Amino acid sequence: MTELMQPATDVEQLSLKDYAEKAYLDYSMYVILDRALPHIGDGLKPVQRRIVYAMSELGLKASAKYKKSARTVGDVIGKFHPHGDSAAYEAMVLMAQDFSYRYPLVDGQGNWGSPDDPKSFAAMRYTESRLTAYANVLLSELGQGTVDWQPNFDGTLDEPMVLPAQAPNLLLNGTTGIAVGMATDIPPHNLAEVVAATIYLLESPKASIADLCQFIKGPDFPTEAEIVTPANEMLALYETGRGALRVRAAYVVEDGAVVIHSLPHQVSGAKVLEQIAAQMQARKLPMVADLRDESDHEHPTRLVLVPRSNRIEVDAVMSHLFATTDLERTYRVNLNVIGIDGRPAVKSLLTILKEWLVFRKATVKRRLAYRLDRVERRLHILDGYLIAFLNIDEVIRIIREEDEPKPVLIKAFKITDIQAEAVLDLKLRNLAKLEEMKIRGEQDELAEERDALKKTLGSEARLKTLIKRELNDVVAAHGDARRSPLMIREEARAFSELELTTADPLTIVLSEKGWIRAAKGHDIDPTALSYKSGDGFRFAARGKSNLPTVVLDSTGRAYTIPNHQLPSARGQGEPLTGRINPPSGATFEGLLTGQESDRFLLASDAGYGFVVQFSQLQTKNKAGKALLSLPKNAQVLPPAAISGVAELWVVVATNEGRMLVFPLSEVPELARGKGNKLIGIPSARAAAREEFVAGLCVVSEGDILQVTSGGHYRNFKWTDLEHFKGERGRRGSKLPKGYQRVTQLSVVGD
């Protein structure tokens, strides 16, 4: 029994922690190296490489007939990539979509999806495919000893570890992938630009990234949408290998309508239409009257927006749509690739091209060395043939008479085993007299090729020239013009809630107890509205629904409320304190609204004031902003609106009956503060509130000024005001008897 309980000595024990760490690390490295990240040499992930290689093995070159995609997928998953058929087919579809790949590798026939819905492709049993002509850039040197091979998953076949790409395909088509703990996002680029930069780096190994960016100014997507990332951000992106790109839809204006003819990469036109339509239904695009999709086979993208009138600023509308829909999209860039050392890393543009050139030089050297070996082997065999032809009778005799002719031939003519085997394999038809001339001619050609190969392999300059020539040949065969223009554009800005509000006339009414509301139209009598018991009319201002209203309190603070958010005048309104946070005990002393550039005269009853623009009064802070500084015991006067008339005058009157008229130009324009003295009131009298400003208004020549005193009033014509004119800050002149207890000044017209 004791023996049975003893642990077995041939069982390996491992802690759960160590086992989990090892298993997770193994899985991570597998996903990184064999699934998600591209190799710097050919720019392909393993599944893409296996699809291209399997198609080439099936003979599906660009000139071949199409074959069912299911046949290709079957070969891929059965021979090289033991994963799901849908995953392999989706990878194949992506390489066939000219709206997804800048230079497609698969030529598809059938339904391979659309820009609106890239996943709408038909099943693989319905579609047919073959390789494109561009795929030959990756495959043409495959059988020439250029790359290393590895066994497939079951060890029955060999597959290439990387394809011998003749151009930096990594940058040309780009890729995206998510591994464990890392990801890659490489945008596509233009073949001609990348090759130009590569050749420049080949000739100038000390070139900087700024030098390369003279050729590669930015990515080049399959669509004609505009890249609006600034040049300095683009340079930083290429220097670090990380960053972001902003791509914006391209549009033109035709007969007043906006026609969007190109969308950002992988953006669905149907989704954009839904986003714009949703804003129209939510009344967030009142300036757009109609939205149409006029896309067809001839115009794959044609989205039409019709403004409500020709006064609508089209660029502002499009800027709003760029900020709020997929018409502008930001793409993450992360140049994370498997380098020539087999390790993943985020690399700069310079590092990528340098490593690719190292890969390309090694590939070309291997190709030349492979060809040199084949040429020398052929020359060796031809030498044997020539010896045989010069001694044909003896060769025939040996073959006829000897039981083992091979060693006899080797000994008799001092030829090698390979040469002897080749002679014995000769067909009778090749024993003609003319064959000798053919052999000598082939020898001369191969000898010349051998010498050229040796010269190229032995000369760095010749090798560079060859690589440069082959790169230019690729551009000549497959190069095209840039599709994505690089533009300098202002940053997109969405309309504010105020800008989206229609400009309807409103009368804003504020009650004595601080209740506010807005009535439609300007023909409203605010005093006739109903008020709560114990409340009544205090202020009214005429404005528009797309403008803000500013309220002044008794402490000199200003608060802003959007007009379109005010409650209707059909009710009794809402208390202002529910929207703003004034100091405890503060009362409301002013109500004004207008355009940003409108001006108002603000003053305290201590006789100080200044002119301020309406834009300076506004704030988003519920606690308001400090605006008017008040002397001791002073109170805020209702603001006086300033019209657009050139020559204006300020009229100030005190409760003691002194009135002063002076030019408005003498009053300073400030953003905040106490202001300058408008009328002379002795400081002691002002502090004790024995004398204070009782009325303030702004008049122009021809206006009639109404002075209210007690329960009666008197109108002063323009000529009557001459007696009261003086310099700002003076004491002013006494009003006539009976009108010296001023309670209000107002303009009643001309």
Side-chain angles (χ1 to χ4, degrees):
M1 187 67 180
T2 306
E3 293 178 0
L4 291 174
M5 295 296 293
Q6 290 180 350
T9 56
D10 59 345
V11 176
E12 181 182 356
Q13 293 188 353
L14 192 65
S15 71
L16 183 61
K17 174 180 176 293
D18 293 341
Y19 172 77
E21 281 184 2
K22 182 178 184 303
Y24 186 71
L25 183 61
D26 290 346
Y27 170 73
S28 301
M29 292 308 297
Y30 165 71
V31 173
I32 291 168
L33 299 177
D34 291 330
R35 292 291 293 278
L37 299 189
H39 192 279
I40 201 166
D42 57 11
L44 299 178
K45 299 179 190 178
V47 64
Q48 296 169 327
R49 186 178 304 117
R50 286 163 178 165
I51 290 169
V52 172
Y53 175 64
M55 292 182 75
S56 72
E57 288 296 285
L58 284 169
L60 295 177
K61 299 294 175 70
S63 56
K65 286 185 177 181
Y66 293 95
K67 279 188 180 179
K68 287 288 185 184
S69 301
R71 173 73 186 277
T72 299
V73 172
D75 266 33
V76 170
I77 65 176
K79 294 180 178 179
F80 308 111
H81 199 69
H83 297 276
D85 57 347
S86 60
Y89 183 49
E90 285 189 22
M92 182 178 172
V93 167
L94 194 68
M95 293 192 290
Q97 293 175 338
D98 57 3
F99 51 85
S100 295
Y101 257 46
R102 184 64 178 82
Y103 300 96
L105 295 169
V106 176
D107 178 10
Q109 187 168 260
N111 178 12
W112 290 82
S114 67
D116 274 346
D117 187 5
K119 299 282 188 180
S120 63
F121 51 85
M124 58 185 168
R125 61 182 177 274
Y126 299 121
T127 61
E128 296 180 339
S129 56
R130 64 185 180 187
L131 291 170
T132 60
Y134 173 76
N136 201 45
V137 173
L138 306 178
L139 292 165
S140 61
E141 299 175 359
L142 187 59
Q144 301 178 29
T146 49
V147 295
D148 294 326
W149 296 71
Q150 63 185 3
N152 68 340
F153 63 91
D154 61 1
T156 58
L157 296 169
D158 286 337
E159 60 175 319
M161 297 178 70
V162 64
L163 297 181
Q166 293 178 303
N169 185 62
L170 175 72
L171 293 174
L172 302 182
N173 274 321
T175 191
T176 60
I178 300 174
V180 178
M182 62 179 65
T184 183
D185 292 278
I186 304 172
H189 291 75
N190 184 269
L191 173 60
E193 293 179 0
V194 172
V195 166
T198 306
I199 291 174
Y200 181 82
L201 183 60
L202 186 66
E203 295 174 340
S204 307
K206 294 184 179 180
S208 65
I209 292 179
D211 295 331
L212 298 181
C213 284
Q214 294 177 2
F215 304 95
I216 304 175
K217 299 184 184 298
D220 187 22
F221 292 96
T223 74
E224 295 177 4
E226 300 174 350
I227 298 175
V228 296
T229 304
N232 60 328
E233 292 183 22
M234 199 78 74
L235 180 62
L237 182 155
Y238 285 132
E239 285 176 340
T240 61
R242 286 194 176 97
L245 286 169
R246 285 189 295 119
V247 181
R248 182 177 291 184
Y251 69 93
V252 294
V253 179
E254 295 180 5
D255 299 326
V258 178
V259 179
I260 301 167
H261 59 82
S262 187
L263 296 172
H265 183 47
Q266 295 179 332
V267 167
S268 165
K271 184 178 179 182
V272 169
L273 286 172
E274 287 179 12
Q275 292 172 334
I276 299 175
Q279 291 194 33
M280 293 174 68
Q281 289 174 357
R283 298 184 180 179
K284 292 183 177 180
L285 273 179
M287 64 288 296
V288 177
D290 191 19
L291 174 66
R292 300 194 301 270
D293 184 2
E294 297 182 356
S295 305
D296 54 25
H297 182 72
E298 191 174 341
H299 303 95
T301 300
R302 185 177 170 85
L303 311 181
V304 181
L305 282 79
V306 182
R308 288 200 177 276
S309 73
N310 55 11
R311 296 190 302 274
I312 300 294
E313 192 177 345
V314 169
D315 290 342
V317 175
M318 292 306 296
S319 179
H320 168 77
L321 292 176
F322 290 142
T324 57
T325 70
D326 284 347
L327 286 176
E328 179 174 306
R329 195 164 181 180
T330 300
Y331 297 87
R332 184 179 62 182
V333 177
N334 184 17
L335 306 181
N336 190 5
V337 298
I338 299 172
I340 54 176
D341 58 357
R343 296 180 178 180
V346 177
K347 302 178 185 292
S348 68
L349 175 65
L350 181 62
T351 304
I352 287 174
L353 290 182
K354 275 187 174 180
E355 286 199 24
W356 186 83
L357 279 173
V358 171
F359 167 81
R360 184 60 188 159
K361 286 179 182 178
T363 302
V364 173
K365 283 182 178 179
R366 290 181 65 166
R367 188 189 79 208
L368 295 177
Y370 177 82
R371 178 59 184 165
L372 179 60
D373 180 60
R374 297 290 293 269
V375 167
E376 288 180 336
R377 286 174 60 189
R378 181 62 180 168
L379 282 171
H380 184 61
I381 290 173
L382 289 175
D383 288 341
Y385 281 166
L386 199 57
I387 291 171
F389 273 102
L390 294 175
N391 301 277
I392 191 64
D393 294 334
E394 182 63 16
V395 170
I396 293 172
R397 185 194 67 76
I398 292 172
I399 293 172
R400 289 183 64 186
E401 295 180 0
E402 297 292 337
D403 293 334
E404 294 289 338
K406 186 175 176 181
V408 177
L409 287 172
I410 292 173
K411 184 177 180 181
F413 301 111
K414 295 184 175 55
I415 59 177
T416 64
D417 185 272
I418 295 173
Q419 290 172 323
E421 192 67 41
V423 169
L424 291 171
D425 287 340
L426 271 174
K427 295 180 181 179
L428 288 173
R429 71 174 61 182
N430 293 336
L431 297 178
K433 183 67 178 174
L434 291 175
E435 283 299 320
E436 181 183 343
M437 297 173 63
K438 289 182 181 179
I439 291 170
R440 292 189 183 277
E442 187 179 353
Q443 274 185 322
D444 293 341
E445 289 177 6
L446 290 176
E448 187 178 344
E449 184 181 355
R450 177 193 60 198
D451 295 342
L453 288 169
K454 286 183 176 180
K455 284 181 180 178
T456 304
L457 283 168
S459 169
E460 189 71 18
R462 283 176 176 267
L463 188 65
K464 286 183 179 180
T465 302
L466 177 61
I467 293 172
K468 178 180 174 181
R469 184 173 70 246
E470 290 176 348
L471 283 169
N472 285 325
D473 290 343
V474 172
V475 173
H478 307 287
D480 57 4
R482 166 176 279 277
R483 293 185 194 173
S484 301
L486 295 155
M487 307 297 289
I488 299 174
R489 302 290 190 198
E490 291 184 3
E491 190 169 348
R493 185 185 71 86
F495 287 133
S496 65
E497 202 171 354
L498 278 175
E499 290 173 306
L500 292 172
T501 306
T502 54
D504 300 322
L506 289 180
T507 300
I508 299 94
V509 180
L510 183 65
S511 75
E512 293 174 351
K513 300 290 186 181
W515 286 60
I516 194 166
R517 50 187 153 166
K520 289 185 178 180
H522 288 165
D523 55 350
I524 305 297
D525 181 5
T527 59
L529 297 174
S530 66
Y531 294 88
K532 287 183 175 293
S533 177
D535 200 1
F537 169 73
R538 179 73 189 277
F539 296 114
R542 291 175 178 175
K544 292 186 177 180
S545 56
N546 64 337
L547 298 175
T549 286
V550 172
V551 181
L552 294 180
D553 72 4
S554 55
T555 67
R557 298 185 72 81
Y559 309 86
T560 305
I561 303 169
N563 287 352
H564 70 279
Q565 294 181 358
L566 294 175
S568 170
R570 292 175 183 172
Q572 292 176 329
E574 295 177 0
L576 261 176
T577 50
R579 295 173 178 264
I580 58 176
N581 300 322
S584 178
T587 57
F588 300 113
E589 303 297 332
L591 181 76
L592 55 159
T593 184
Q595 303 284 347
E596 299 283 308
S597 58
D598 288 350
R599 298 189 304 158
F600 295 86
L601 176 60
L602 300 186
S604 64
D605 65 2
Y608 290 85
F610 59 92
V611 173
V612 65
Q613 272 200 355
F614 188 65
S615 60
Q616 299 286 345
L617 300 173
Q618 298 174 43
T619 176
K620 292 182 180 179
N621 192 345
K622 282 190 173 184
K625 65 182 290 187
L627 186 67
L628 182 63
S629 300
L630 298 174
K632 184 179 180 181
N633 294 332
Q635 296 179 3
V636 177
L637 292 173
I642 298 172
S643 66
V645 179
E647 190 172 357
L648 294 170
W649 299 75
V650 179
V651 182
V652 190
T654 71
N655 63 323
E656 292 293 326
R658 289 191 172 275
M659 189 167 78
L660 177 66
V661 179
F662 59 89
L664 177 68
S665 57
E666 294 182 7
V667 182
E669 186 167 324
L670 305 173
R672 65 180 67 187
K674 175 182 174 182
N676 286 13
K677 184 181 286 189
L678 303 180
I679 188 169
I681 301 176
S683 301
R685 289 177 61 81
R689 296 199 62 77
E690 294 175 358
E691 186 177 358
F692 52 85
V693 174
L696 173 77
C697 67
V698 178
V699 299
S700 62
E701 187 174 347
D703 287 344
I704 295 176
L705 177 71
Q706 188 176 87
V707 178
T708 303
S709 177
H712 55 283
Y713 63 87
R714 176 177 173 178
N715 290 339
F716 288 78
K717 294 182 179 179
W718 182 252
T719 53
D720 299 333
L721 297 178
E722 286 291 334
H723 174 69
F724 300 96
K725 287 184 179 180
E727 295 180 356
R728 177 185 60 78
R730 296 293 184 182
R731 192 76 176 94
S733 301
K734 274 281 188 178
L735 284 161
K737 287 185 178 181
Y739 296 96
Q740 294 181 355
R741 296 295 177 185
V742 178
T743 55
Q744 184 180 344
L745 296 181
S746 58
V747 178
V748 295
D750 49 24

